């Protein structure tokens, strides 16, 4: 959910896709949580009006904290 919000706010992704119309079924990647500390590396398929993109995101989570987006790329 956090990654999707950031993708939709990213003008480069919106321009490259010609506008976002949806997302692929399931993101691929890895999620690990140990002692409340989490890391996630995901690839999300962004379905665009003109072009589809695969966007890579890296998120972290501290104990009792929320997931935070640390990096995003195409």
């Amino acid at each position: 959910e956090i990654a999707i919000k950031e993708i939709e706010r990213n003008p480069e992704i919106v321009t490259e896709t010609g506008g976002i119309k949806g997302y692929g079924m399931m993101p691929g990647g890895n999620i690990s949580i140990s002692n409340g500390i989490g890391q996630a590396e995901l690839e999300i398929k962004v379905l665009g009006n003109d072009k589809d993109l695969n966007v890579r995101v890296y998120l972290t989570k501290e104990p009792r904290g929320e997931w935070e987006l640390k990096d995003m790329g195409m």
Side-chain angles (χ1 to χ4, degrees):
E1 189 175 304
I2 292 165
I4 296 296
K5 287 180 185 177
E6 291 299 322
I7 287 169
E8 291 177 351
R9 288 185 203 158
N10 187 297
E12 186 179 351
I13 294 172
V14 173
T15 299
E16 185 80 19
T17 59
I20 298 169
K21 65 179 180 182
Y23 299 91
M25 293 293 288
M26 294 286 291
N30 299 306
I31 299 172
S32 65
I33 300 174
S34 178
N35 296 323
I37 298 170
Q39 293 183 347
E41 294 182 60
L42 303 172
E43 187 167 297
I44 300 171
K45 183 169 190 124
V46 179
L47 306 175
N49 291 314
D50 297 334
K51 177 181 176 182
D52 297 344
L53 291 177
N54 289 320
V55 177
R56 294 176 311 282
V57 295
Y58 177 69
L59 301 104
T60 60
K61 178 189 175 311
E62 295 297 323
R64 297 186 200 122
E66 299 293 322
W67 285 97
E68 293 182 29
L69 182 75
K70 296 295 182 181
D71 192 33
M72 179 169 57
M74 294 183 276

